[in-house]
mmCIF file of all heavy atoms in Angstrom:
data_model
loop_
_atom_site.group_PDB
_atom_site.id
_atom_site.type_symbol
_atom_site.label_atom_id
_atom_site.label_comp_id
_atom_site.label_asym_id
_atom_site.label_seq_id
_atom_site.Cartn_x
_atom_site.Cartn_y
_atom_site.Cartn_z
ATOM 1 N N GLN A 19 106.481 115.283 110.833
ATOM 2 C CA GLN A 19 105.266 115.017 111.593
ATOM 3 C C GLN A 19 104.209 114.440 110.652
ATOM 4 O O GLN A 19 104.126 114.811 109.500
ATOM 5 C CB GLN A 19 104.740 116.319 112.217
ATOM 6 C CG GLN A 19 105.733 117.005 113.157
ATOM 7 C CD GLN A 19 106.044 116.169 114.389
ATOM 8 O OE1 GLN A 19 105.153 115.559 114.975
ATOM 9 N NE2 GLN A 19 107.312 116.141 114.792
ATOM 10 N N ASP A 20 103.372 113.549 111.168
ATOM 11 C CA ASP A 20 102.272 112.964 110.390
ATOM 12 C C ASP A 20 102.776 112.362 109.076
ATOM 13 O O ASP A 20 102.293 112.683 107.984
ATOM 14 C CB ASP A 20 101.200 114.017 110.104
ATOM 15 C CG ASP A 20 100.620 114.616 111.381
ATOM 16 O OD1 ASP A 20 100.399 113.845 112.328
ATOM 17 O OD2 ASP A 20 100.409 115.834 111.418
ATOM 18 N N LYS A 21 103.755 111.483 109.195
ATOM 19 C CA LYS A 21 104.299 110.830 107.996
ATOM 20 C C LYS A 21 103.209 110.008 107.304
ATOM 21 O O LYS A 21 102.423 109.330 107.962
ATOM 22 C CB LYS A 21 105.472 109.919 108.382
ATOM 23 C CG LYS A 21 106.727 110.642 108.767
ATOM 24 C CD LYS A 21 107.870 109.676 108.986
ATOM 25 C CE LYS A 21 107.875 109.080 110.363
ATOM 26 N NZ LYS A 21 108.341 110.025 111.387
ATOM 27 N N ASP A 22 103.199 110.063 105.964
ATOM 28 C CA ASP A 22 102.306 109.198 105.207
ATOM 29 C C ASP A 22 103.110 108.032 104.641
ATOM 30 O O ASP A 22 104.330 107.954 104.807
ATOM 31 C CB ASP A 22 101.575 109.969 104.100
ATOM 32 C CG ASP A 22 102.537 110.625 103.112
ATOM 33 O OD1 ASP A 22 103.756 110.317 103.157
ATOM 34 O OD2 ASP A 22 102.076 111.443 102.299
ATOM 35 N N VAL A 23 102.431 107.115 103.950
ATOM 36 C CA VAL A 23 103.107 105.923 103.452
ATOM 37 C C VAL A 23 104.161 106.279 102.411
ATOM 38 O O VAL A 23 105.159 105.554 102.251
ATOM 39 C CB VAL A 23 102.069 104.929 102.876
ATOM 40 C CG1 VAL A 23 101.455 105.453 101.588
ATOM 41 C CG2 VAL A 23 102.679 103.550 102.656
ATOM 42 N N VAL A 24 103.973 107.416 101.714
ATOM 43 C CA VAL A 24 104.955 107.840 100.709
ATOM 44 C C VAL A 24 106.294 108.156 101.372
ATOM 45 O O VAL A 24 107.364 107.815 100.848
ATOM 46 C CB VAL A 24 104.437 109.060 99.920
ATOM 47 C CG1 VAL A 24 105.454 109.505 98.878
ATOM 48 C CG2 VAL A 24 103.105 108.751 99.250
ATOM 49 N N ALA A 25 106.243 108.814 102.529
ATOM 50 C CA ALA A 25 107.476 109.129 103.261
ATOM 51 C C ALA A 25 108.172 107.843 103.735
ATOM 52 O O ALA A 25 109.399 107.715 103.623
ATOM 53 C CB ALA A 25 107.163 110.040 104.446
ATOM 54 N N TRP A 26 107.391 106.909 104.250
ATOM 55 C CA TRP A 26 107.968 105.622 104.671
ATOM 56 C C TRP A 26 108.608 104.906 103.484
ATOM 57 O O TRP A 26 109.720 104.385 103.580
ATOM 58 C CB TRP A 26 106.875 104.736 105.286
ATOM 59 C CG TRP A 26 106.452 105.149 106.663
ATOM 60 C CD1 TRP A 26 105.502 106.061 107.001
ATOM 61 C CD2 TRP A 26 106.979 104.658 107.915
ATOM 62 N NE1 TRP A 26 105.406 106.176 108.369
ATOM 63 C CE2 TRP A 26 106.292 105.324 108.956
ATOM 64 C CE3 TRP A 26 107.941 103.716 108.249
ATOM 65 C CZ2 TRP A 26 106.544 105.075 110.307
ATOM 66 C CZ3 TRP A 26 108.204 103.463 109.594
ATOM 67 C CH2 TRP A 26 107.513 104.135 110.605
ATOM 68 N N ASN A 27 107.884 104.901 102.365
ATOM 69 C CA ASN A 27 108.417 104.239 101.171
ATOM 70 C C ASN A 27 109.740 104.837 100.723
ATOM 71 O O ASN A 27 110.666 104.129 100.325
ATOM 72 C CB ASN A 27 107.413 104.350 100.016
ATOM 73 C CG ASN A 27 106.202 103.455 100.207
ATOM 74 O OD1 ASN A 27 106.220 102.548 101.035
ATOM 75 N ND2 ASN A 27 105.159 103.710 99.450
ATOM 76 N N SER A 28 109.826 106.173 100.766
ATOM 77 C CA SER A 28 111.031 106.862 100.317
ATOM 78 C C SER A 28 112.241 106.429 101.135
ATOM 79 O O SER A 28 113.329 106.205 100.590
ATOM 80 C CB SER A 28 110.823 108.374 100.421
ATOM 81 O OG SER A 28 111.877 109.066 99.806
ATOM 82 N N MET A 29 112.062 106.292 102.452
ATOM 83 C CA MET A 29 113.178 105.882 103.308
ATOM 84 C C MET A 29 113.507 104.405 103.110
ATOM 85 O O MET A 29 114.684 104.012 103.083
ATOM 86 C CB MET A 29 112.811 106.160 104.774
ATOM 87 C CG MET A 29 113.992 106.121 105.731
ATOM 88 S SD MET A 29 115.176 107.444 105.460
ATOM 89 C CE MET A 29 116.664 106.521 105.116
ATOM 90 N N ILE A 30 112.480 103.567 102.945
ATOM 91 C CA ILE A 30 112.705 102.128 102.723
ATOM 92 C C ILE A 30 113.469 101.911 101.422
ATOM 93 O O ILE A 30 114.458 101.164 101.372
ATOM 94 C CB ILE A 30 111.354 101.374 102.697
ATOM 95 C CG1 ILE A 30 110.727 101.363 104.088
ATOM 96 C CG2 ILE A 30 111.536 99.938 102.191
ATOM 97 C CD1 ILE A 30 109.269 100.918 104.118
ATOM 98 N N VAL A 31 113.011 102.565 100.346
ATOM 99 C CA VAL A 31 113.680 102.448 99.040
ATOM 100 C C VAL A 31 115.106 102.997 99.127
ATOM 101 O O VAL A 31 116.039 102.446 98.533
ATOM 102 C CB VAL A 31 112.875 103.182 97.948
ATOM 103 C CG1 VAL A 31 113.663 103.272 96.647
ATOM 104 C CG2 VAL A 31 111.536 102.480 97.708
ATOM 105 N N GLY A 32 115.282 104.081 99.892
ATOM 106 C CA GLY A 32 116.613 104.666 100.077
ATOM 107 C C GLY A 32 117.579 103.688 100.716
ATOM 108 O O GLY A 32 118.718 103.517 100.251
ATOM 109 N N TYR A 33 117.143 103.050 101.796
ATOM 110 C CA TYR A 33 117.988 102.035 102.434
ATOM 111 C C TYR A 33 118.323 100.918 101.447
ATOM 112 O O TYR A 33 119.459 100.444 101.379
ATOM 113 C CB TYR A 33 117.267 101.433 103.642
ATOM 114 C CG TYR A 33 117.421 102.216 104.923
ATOM 115 C CD1 TYR A 33 116.325 102.451 105.754
ATOM 116 C CD2 TYR A 33 118.664 102.695 105.340
ATOM 117 C CE1 TYR A 33 116.452 103.158 106.945
ATOM 118 C CE2 TYR A 33 118.817 103.397 106.533
ATOM 119 C CZ TYR A 33 117.706 103.620 107.335
ATOM 120 O OH TYR A 33 117.851 104.314 108.511
ATOM 121 N N ALA A 34 117.315 100.496 100.677
ATOM 122 C CA ALA A 34 117.524 99.384 99.748
ATOM 123 C C ALA A 34 118.562 99.726 98.695
ATOM 124 O O ALA A 34 119.455 98.917 98.400
ATOM 125 C CB ALA A 34 116.197 99.006 99.090
ATOM 126 N N MET A 35 118.469 100.911 98.093
ATOM 127 C CA MET A 35 119.392 101.260 97.010
ATOM 128 C C MET A 35 120.832 101.407 97.491
ATOM 129 O O MET A 35 121.768 101.293 96.709
ATOM 130 C CB MET A 35 118.931 102.542 96.298
ATOM 131 C CG MET A 35 119.172 103.822 97.037
ATOM 132 S SD MET A 35 118.908 105.304 96.025
ATOM 133 C CE MET A 35 117.149 105.304 95.821
ATOM 134 N N HIS A 36 120.995 101.625 98.808
ATOM 135 C CA HIS A 36 122.349 101.705 99.367
ATOM 136 C C HIS A 36 122.852 100.344 99.849
ATOM 137 O O HIS A 36 123.969 100.251 100.355
ATOM 138 C CB HIS A 36 122.375 102.701 100.523
ATOM 139 C CG HIS A 36 122.420 104.122 100.073
ATOM 140 N ND1 HIS A 36 123.594 104.804 99.864
ATOM 141 C CD2 HIS A 36 121.438 104.990 99.758
ATOM 142 C CE1 HIS A 36 123.337 106.028 99.455
ATOM 143 N NE2 HIS A 36 122.026 106.164 99.374
ATOM 144 N N GLY A 37 122.005 99.317 99.701
ATOM 145 C CA GLY A 37 122.427 97.991 100.138
ATOM 146 C C GLY A 37 122.250 97.759 101.620
ATOM 147 O O GLY A 37 122.706 96.735 102.149
ATOM 148 N N PHE A 38 121.577 98.681 102.311
ATOM 149 C CA PHE A 38 121.321 98.513 103.746
ATOM 150 C C PHE A 38 120.008 97.740 103.894
ATOM 151 O O PHE A 38 118.981 98.265 104.364
ATOM 152 C CB PHE A 38 121.243 99.864 104.445
ATOM 153 C CG PHE A 38 122.503 100.695 104.318
ATOM 154 C CD1 PHE A 38 122.463 102.067 104.409
ATOM 155 C CD2 PHE A 38 123.729 100.090 104.106
ATOM 156 C CE1 PHE A 38 123.615 102.829 104.287
ATOM 157 C CE2 PHE A 38 124.892 100.830 103.984
ATOM 158 C CZ PHE A 38 124.843 102.209 104.076
ATOM 159 N N SER A 39 120.077 96.482 103.474
ATOM 160 C CA SER A 39 118.863 95.672 103.349
ATOM 161 C C SER A 39 118.171 95.436 104.679
ATOM 162 O O SER A 39 116.936 95.494 104.768
ATOM 163 C CB SER A 39 119.207 94.331 102.704
ATOM 164 O OG SER A 39 119.759 94.539 101.419
ATOM 165 N N GLN A 40 118.941 95.166 105.717
ATOM 166 C CA GLN A 40 118.340 94.897 107.012
ATOM 167 C C GLN A 40 117.584 96.109 107.538
ATOM 168 O O GLN A 40 116.487 95.990 108.086
ATOM 169 C CB GLN A 40 119.420 94.466 108.025
ATOM 170 C CG GLN A 40 118.883 93.716 109.227
ATOM 171 C CD GLN A 40 118.108 92.453 108.838
ATOM 172 O OE1 GLN A 40 118.540 91.694 107.969
ATOM 173 N NE2 GLN A 40 116.957 92.238 109.463
ATOM 174 N N ASP A 41 118.159 97.305 107.342
ATOM 175 C CA ASP A 41 117.486 98.532 107.765
ATOM 176 C C ASP A 41 116.173 98.717 107.006
ATOM 177 O O ASP A 41 115.159 99.140 107.582
ATOM 178 C CB ASP A 41 118.390 99.749 107.522
ATOM 179 C CG ASP A 41 119.630 99.727 108.383
ATOM 180 O OD1 ASP A 41 119.496 99.884 109.600
ATOM 181 O OD2 ASP A 41 120.719 99.549 107.834
ATOM 182 N N ALA A 42 116.190 98.410 105.707
ATOM 183 C CA ALA A 42 114.986 98.552 104.887
ATOM 184 C C ALA A 42 113.887 97.618 105.371
ATOM 185 O O ALA A 42 112.721 98.026 105.513
ATOM 186 C CB ALA A 42 115.316 98.270 103.422
ATOM 187 N N LEU A 43 114.245 96.365 105.646
ATOM 188 C CA LEU A 43 113.250 95.379 106.081
ATOM 189 C C LEU A 43 112.724 95.695 107.472
ATOM 190 O O LEU A 43 111.527 95.539 107.754
ATOM 191 C CB LEU A 43 113.848 93.969 106.041
ATOM 192 C CG LEU A 43 114.295 93.488 104.651
ATOM 193 C CD1 LEU A 43 114.877 92.092 104.726
ATOM 194 C CD2 LEU A 43 113.134 93.510 103.665
ATOM 195 N N GLU A 44 113.602 96.170 108.349
ATOM 196 C CA GLU A 44 113.159 96.552 109.703
ATOM 197 C C GLU A 44 112.198 97.730 109.655
ATOM 198 O O GLU A 44 111.190 97.758 110.378
ATOM 199 C CB GLU A 44 114.378 96.901 110.568
ATOM 200 C CG GLU A 44 115.189 95.692 111.007
ATOM 201 C CD GLU A 44 116.438 96.077 111.791
ATOM 202 O OE1 GLU A 44 116.629 97.291 112.049
ATOM 203 O OE2 GLU A 44 117.217 95.169 112.144
ATOM 204 N N LEU A 45 112.492 98.706 108.795
ATOM 205 C CA LEU A 45 111.620 99.878 108.686
ATOM 206 C C LEU A 45 110.267 99.481 108.091
ATOM 207 O O LEU A 45 109.222 100.006 108.502
ATOM 208 C CB LEU A 45 112.289 100.950 107.824
ATOM 209 C CG LEU A 45 111.692 102.361 107.929
ATOM 210 C CD1 LEU A 45 111.826 102.906 109.341
ATOM 211 C CD2 LEU A 45 112.372 103.307 106.948
ATOM 212 N N PHE A 46 110.276 98.553 107.140
ATOM 213 C CA PHE A 46 109.027 98.070 106.555
ATOM 214 C C PHE A 46 108.156 97.406 107.622
ATOM 215 O O PHE A 46 106.947 97.667 107.714
ATOM 216 C CB PHE A 46 109.333 97.078 105.430
ATOM 217 C CG PHE A 46 108.118 96.454 104.811
ATOM 218 C CD1 PHE A 46 107.316 97.179 103.935
ATOM 219 C CD2 PHE A 46 107.777 95.134 105.095
ATOM 220 C CE1 PHE A 46 106.193 96.599 103.343
ATOM 221 C CE2 PHE A 46 106.650 94.544 104.517
ATOM 222 C CZ PHE A 46 105.857 95.280 103.648
#
């Protein structure tokens, strides 16, 4: 609940490091 930008960043970076680039860009 009440996600901050740090939480969003963590998931975006997570997708990126796994090579799930499209998911990372969509979440951004």
Side-chain angles (χ1 to χ4, degrees):
Q19 301 296 319
D20 301 319
K21 288 186 276 285
D22 59 11
V23 70
V24 180
W26 285 87
N27 287 345
S28 189
M29 195 67 239
I30 291 167
V31 170
Y33 275 136
M35 75 169 70
H36 281 269
F38 301 155
S39 300
Q40 200 58 44
D41 294 292
L43 298 180
E44 286 176 4
L45 196 62
F46 177 75

